[in-house]
Amino acid sequence: MSFEPFLAVFVITQFRRNLKNDGLLDKWSKYLNIGYFISIGIFFFDVSFDHGHKVATIFSHLYFLGLTLAPYYIDDLKSSKQLGFALVPYAIIGLISDFLEKWFPNFYDNHEGTLQSFVGFSLIWAFSLWLISRKQTKALENERKQRFAEQEQNRMMAAMKVNLESEVKERTAELLKQTEELQLALSELKSTQAQLIQSEKMASLGELTAGIAHEIQNPLNFVNNFSEVSIELLEELKEEVLDKLPDNVKEEADDIINDITQNLSKINQHGKRADAIVKGMLQHSRATTGKKESTDINALADEYLRLSYHGLRAKDKSFNAGMKTSFDPELGKIEAIPQDLGRVLLNLFNNSFYSVTEKKRLLGEGYDPTVTVNTQKIRSASGANMVQITVEDNGTGIPQKVLDKIYQPFFTTKPTGQGTGLGLSMSYDIITKGHGGELKVETAEGQFARFIITLPVGTV
């Protein structure tokens, strides 16, 4: 009985293990199973049918030799070359020995000892190399396991790194969002604080201004009233007494009365100018609720435009001007102080109507006086929602040389007695300090003037 079938099973088992380590077992599993069946078949044939004819033994040696040489010809089995190198000598010597015993028995009998020695040495050689290969295989397996463990560790570390980076990004985004929210809250707080301080200042200034204005108002009323009464008395004096005087003093007395009347007229004129300024100061200092309410800007602008127009018509029946409006229907309501905002709009409308009236007086019938009011929703450079109100007229415009002074208190471009210089100053404070908005002017002298109010929706 030959041992090659058992060795063949051993070799196939080693092939299976190496192929498994190389990840190729699925590809060769079917063929390895066939190899097992062939080995078992050779064994049973040798035991059951050969009966010393050595045919099964020679066939088993050929089969075993083929297995040991397979790693040198099949690339997938190259990891088993060491095993083949160890067993090839035994397979060759065994095949030669069985061949001689079968067909050259005399030669075999004469050299049987030598052939058995070669077989023994080949077994020792195979066993030694198998031990060495086993140690190397274990070392390789340990190295492979270590490398796999390192790869697994690296993979886990990479996954942890990705997770940490993701968590850091999320946390950073959250911190940035919180920072932006804090900055926005701080900005709103500063804006609110500035508005509160301004409100306190304006309230204190208003009380002081109102007190001074009331104190000035009383003597100013006396000056105006007595100047008017004095003018009337001089007229009566001129009518009653002047004709009774001698001719030599009549002309001189008439000149003196005329000079006094003229002086009193000037006093009355400038007194009325001072009275207008005092009334403007009282209006400027007039306290409002200062409470912001939900305000319909379109309705407010339309209301005060009509109020301004009909108020001027009531004072001067000859006054007439065209009005054009373009209100954004999507504007909605904003939080504002309607009394203060209405005061600003009324002042701008009055100025525009005055400007077109003056130009009409200069140009006559060929000129069509028009005041245009627009509202629209816009976005600022930072992306915030804003409401824009535009008041435009085709009147006399504003001279470029005085454009930088129009917001100064008591500065006016109107003739003496027709303007206090407080309207635009008051309007500028209400828009910029009271509402956190912006009031700009665009103009071309002799052509047009355009005032643009911009109010932030979210903070007013």
Side-chain angles (χ1 to χ4, degrees):
M1 183 180 66
S2 175
F3 291 98
E4 275 72 11
F6 300 101
L7 292 175
V9 171
F10 170 77
V11 170
I12 292 172
T13 302
Q14 295 300 314
F15 285 172
R16 177 179 292 275
R17 187 175 65 179
N18 292 336
L19 287 170
K20 182 178 181 180
N21 292 335
D22 295 336
L24 299 172
L25 181 59
D26 292 339
K27 177 180 177 182
W28 289 93
S29 180
K30 179 176 70 173
Y31 302 103
L32 294 177
N33 291 333
I34 293 173
Y36 283 134
F37 289 131
I38 292 174
S39 300
I40 294 170
I42 292 172
F43 173 75
F44 279 109
F45 181 79
D46 187 18
V47 172
S48 303
F49 303 104
D50 198 25
H51 301 300
H53 296 295
K54 295 291 182 179
V55 176
T57 304
I58 294 173
F59 183 75
S60 67
H61 274 103
L62 288 172
Y63 175 62
F64 180 68
L65 178 61
L67 289 177
T68 57
L69 292 175
Y72 293 93
Y73 298 96
I74 299 175
D75 290 338
D76 290 349
L77 298 175
K78 60 184 179 181
S79 58
S80 300
K81 281 185 178 181
Q82 186 71 19
L83 178 64
F85 181 69
L87 293 174
V88 164
Y90 172 76
I92 293 174
I93 293 172
L95 178 62
I96 293 172
S97 178
D98 288 341
F99 180 79
L100 293 175
E101 185 180 1
K102 174 67 177 174
W103 281 283
F104 301 96
N106 295 329
F107 182 84
Y108 176 79
D109 291 337
N110 294 331
H111 299 84
E112 182 179 2
T114 303
L115 291 174
Q116 292 300 324
S117 299
F118 285 155
V119 171
F121 282 124
S122 64
L123 286 174
I124 294 172
W125 165 267
F127 182 74
S128 300
L129 289 183
W130 177 74
L131 290 177
I132 295 172
S133 175
R134 183 182 178 87
K135 291 181 180 179
Q136 290 178 348
T137 301
K138 287 184 177 180
L140 289 174
E141 287 182 357
N142 292 333
E143 183 180 354
R144 187 181 295 109
K145 288 180 180 179
Q146 184 178 0
R147 186 164 60 249
F148 178 77
E150 291 177 354
Q151 291 176 351
E152 187 68 16
Q153 185 179 6
N154 291 335
R155 187 188 64 79
M156 293 178 61
M157 291 181 64
M160 291 176 61
K161 180 180 178 182
V162 171
N163 291 335
L164 287 174
E165 289 178 350
S166 177
E167 291 178 2
V168 168
K169 287 181 180 179
E170 291 177 0
R171 184 59 179 165
T172 302
E174 184 179 350
L175 289 174
L176 288 174
K177 183 179 179 181
Q178 292 177 355
T179 302
E180 291 176 357
E181 291 176 352
L182 289 174
Q183 289 177 346
L184 180 61
L186 179 61
S187 176
E188 291 178 353
L189 182 61
K190 287 182 178 179
S191 176
T192 303
Q193 185 182 31
Q195 292 182 22
L196 288 174
I197 292 173
Q198 178 63 24
S199 297
E200 292 294 331
K201 287 182 178 179
M202 293 299 293
S204 300
L205 182 60
E207 293 177 3
L208 177 62
T209 303
I212 295 173
H214 280 297
E215 292 299 323
I216 295 174
Q217 187 74 52
N218 291 329
L220 189 58
N221 287 337
F222 278 103
V223 171
N224 290 334
N225 293 336
F226 278 105
S227 63
E228 291 176 357
V229 171
S230 297
I231 290 173
E232 293 176 359
L233 290 175
L234 285 172
E235 290 295 331
E236 293 177 2
L237 179 65
K238 190 174 182 180
E239 292 176 359
E240 299 293 334
V241 179
L242 191 61
D243 292 338
K244 299 177 182 180
L245 294 175
D247 293 338
N248 59 340
V249 296
K250 183 177 180 179
E251 183 176 354
E252 184 178 357
D254 185 51
D255 291 338
I256 292 173
I257 290 174
N258 289 335
D259 289 341
I260 295 173
T261 301
Q262 187 176 4
N263 290 342
L264 289 172
S265 297
K266 291 292 184 181
I267 290 173
N268 184 259
Q269 179 183 355
H270 289 285
K272 289 182 177 179
R273 160 72 171 162
D275 183 64
I277 293 175
V278 169
K279 288 179 179 178
M281 291 173 64
L282 287 171
Q283 185 184 26
H284 199 292
S285 64
R286 186 179 67 191
T288 64
T289 61
K291 184 178 180 181
K292 293 168 186 167
E293 303 174 6
S294 181
T295 305
D296 188 336
I297 297 298
N298 291 338
L300 190 71
D302 186 66
E303 176 187 352
Y304 277 91
L305 178 63
R306 309 297 171 187
L307 182 64
S308 174
Y309 178 80
H310 292 297
L312 293 173
R313 285 279 294 173
K315 292 180 182 178
D316 182 6
K317 297 298 181 182
S318 64
F319 166 77
N320 193 18
M323 295 181 292
K324 293 182 180 179
T325 59
S326 177
F327 297 142
D328 185 355
E330 303 296 328
L331 197 63
K333 294 183 178 182
I334 67 170
E335 293 294 314
I337 306 173
Q339 300 91 339
D340 289 352
L341 199 55
R343 194 186 306 178
V344 172
L345 293 172
L346 184 63
N347 179 70
L348 294 180
F349 295 150
N350 287 341
N351 287 345
S352 293
F353 283 130
Y354 173 83
S355 178
V356 297
T357 301
E358 287 297 303
K359 192 170 182 179
K360 176 72 173 179
R361 185 177 60 81
L362 294 173
L363 299 181
E365 295 300 325
Y367 167 69
D368 184 19
T370 306
V371 175
T372 305
V373 183
N374 297 323
T375 63
Q376 61 178 328
K377 183 181 290 186
I378 63 171
R379 284 190 177 274
S380 65
S382 62
N385 289 327
M386 311 287 285
V387 168
Q388 189 178 84
I389 309 170
T390 304
V391 180
E392 183 176 355
D393 64 75
N394 61 344
T396 58
I398 303 173
Q400 193 67 32
K401 60 183 179 181
V402 302
L403 195 58
D404 295 334
K405 303 177 183 179
I406 60 173
Y407 298 130
Q408 294 178 4
F410 305 108
F411 179 82
T412 180
T413 58
K414 297 176 182 176
T416 302
Q418 296 191 32
T420 63
L422 291 171
L424 284 178
S425 173
M426 177 180 65
S427 299
Y428 186 81
D429 285 345
I430 290 173
I431 295 299
T432 58
K433 298 177 181 178
H435 288 76
E438 185 179 21
L439 178 60
K440 296 192 300 183
V441 60
E442 299 172 356
T443 184
E445 188 174 357
Q447 298 181 29
F448 74 92
R450 182 186 302 119
F451 283 87
I452 304 172
I453 300 172
T454 306
L455 300 175
V457 174
T459 57
V460 291

